[in-house]
Amino acid sequence: MKISFPGFKILDRYILGKFLGTYLFSIAMITIILVVFDYAEKVDDFTATKAPMSAIIFEYYLNFVPDFVNQFSGLFTFISVIFFTSKMAYQTEIIAMLSGGMSFRRLMWPYFLGALAIMLLSLTLNLWIIPQSQVACIDFQRKYVPKHKNEQYERHIYRQISPGEYVYVRGFNSSNRASYLVLERYDSTVVRESLEAADATVDPETGHWKAQRYIHRRVAADGSESFEQLRDLDTLINLDVRELGTVEKIVPTMKIGELNRFIEQQRAKGSDSIKIIEVERHCRFAYPMATFILTLIGVSLSSRKVRGGTGLHIGIGITLCFSYIMFNRVFEEFAKSGAMTVWLAVWMPNIIFAIIAAYLYQKAPK
């Protein structure tokens, strides 16, 4: 079966220009508003820490904006489509196109070209650009926003580093220093050996932990214990420094290749955070793909001229869009809790709204 493309005509340029122009304008306006409000909230911190304006603009806001744009890309795609399509319907432009022999499917061609461009942008941001920009944002906040100084690290961290081996870290901070470190080896459910050290530091590049003094504890098969107080601890632990952070905060800083390797690493260690990491990976693909679904819903919904006009279309559209966002959050929690298979839970909102899109497409004016 040969697939043919409908080409690109003046009308296509008109619709595509309206689509992308409205999308970019709405994104730009809300971004400016967000930056102004965020700056007003943090200006005292910036002043107190003497943050240079160049760092505020190029290290923080330039890296902060892509994440915000991507989070609400689906919403603004939907609103853009509904806004200018309902306006064309109200001015009977769509009726004229359909009366002139253009099919509704042919009318969708420039819309899907625009959705494809937005989807590819969102996918690129999700997989490579935003993770890198998040690292820069976190570094800036740790340096110039006091309340964010150590928030990426949990106070008490307990991780499995290999079958039967666990590490406990307390009070880890951005200086790569922990107030307390314990390395334990288990035989079934019984601790057989442990290392305990206070004021330990780690080299993030090599994974070597060092401390001036430490205690080596052994537990024999008969239950007897022995202790040694030793000096100059220098041990290699199979633990990436990033694993010491809150999982929900560290996985967004990983590019897709790093994220895939991190999942395999955590799976090999038997980590209980696998579901959270897999949710992040699936979301990076599911959200951009929703662009096509929301575009189809938007066009099908707003292409009919109704008595309520543009306002009614926008009201219904925003309700549907926020319902999609709510479904995403609910099903993400189902996935993280193990109540549903991760891939099914993350993709379920797309499946539900794809069914809604198919129904509205069938009801659209032909």
Side-chain angles (χ1 to χ4, degrees), residues 5 13 17 53 58 80 149 153 207 209 214 238 280 282 308 310-311 319 322 333 360:
F5 295 97
R13 287 201 298 272
M53 186 56 67
F58 297 107
S80 301
K149 187 173 180 58
Y153 300 111
W209 287 79
Y214 67 101
N238 182 26
E280 171 71 20
H282 281 287
T310 303
T319 301
F322 277 104
E333 293 306 315
L360 292 175

Side-chain angles (χ1 to χ4, degrees), residues 160-197:
Q160 179 174 343
I161 57 176
S162 65
E165 288 193 333
Y166 295 82
V167 64
Y168 168 74
V169 180
R170 184 177 69 206
F172 189 79
N173 58 40
S174 56
S175 301
N176 297 320
R177 183 179 298 272
S179 60
Y180 191 59
L181 170 71
V182 180
L183 183 62
E184 298 175 325
R185 181 176 61 82
Y186 280 77
D187 180 9
S188 184
T189 58
V190 180
V191 178
R192 290 302 182 193
E193 188 177 7
S194 69
L195 294 175
E196 301 178 25

Side-chain angles (χ1 to χ4, degrees), residues 108-215:
M108 289 296 306
W109 172 241
Y111 285 98
F112 274 102
L113 286 178
L116 177 63
I118 295 171
M119 186 273 288
L120 291 176
L121 173 63
S122 179
L123 199 60
T124 302
L125 289 171
N126 262 342
L127 300 184
W128 296 288
I129 296 176
I130 289 176
Q132 188 65 36
S133 67
Q134 285 295 294
V135 173
C137 273
I138 290 172
D139 289 342
F140 177 90
Q141 289 178 329
R142 280 164 45 187
K143 188 184 298 184
Y144 297 112
V145 184
K147 67 180 180 181
H148 292 290
K149 187 173 180 58
N150 289 315
E151 74 167 5
Q152 73 177 109
Y153 300 111
E154 298 176 2
R155 174 64 180 167
H156 301 278
I157 302 163
Y158 196 65
R159 299 280 188 267
Q160 179 174 343
I161 57 176
S162 65
E165 288 193 333
Y166 295 82
V167 64
Y168 168 74
V169 180
R170 184 177 69 206
F172 189 79
N173 58 40
S174 56
S175 301
N176 297 320
R177 183 179 298 272
S179 60
Y180 191 59
L181 170 71
V182 180
L183 183 62
E184 298 175 325
R185 181 176 61 82
Y186 280 77
D187 180 9
S188 184
T189 58
V190 180
V191 178
R192 290 302 182 193
E193 188 177 7
S194 69
L195 294 175
E196 301 178 25
D199 197 24
T201 59
V202 61
D203 183 340
E205 299 299 325
T206 64
H208 277 266
W209 287 79
K210 296 182 180 181
Q212 290 184 351
R213 295 181 179 83
Y214 67 101
I215 297 173

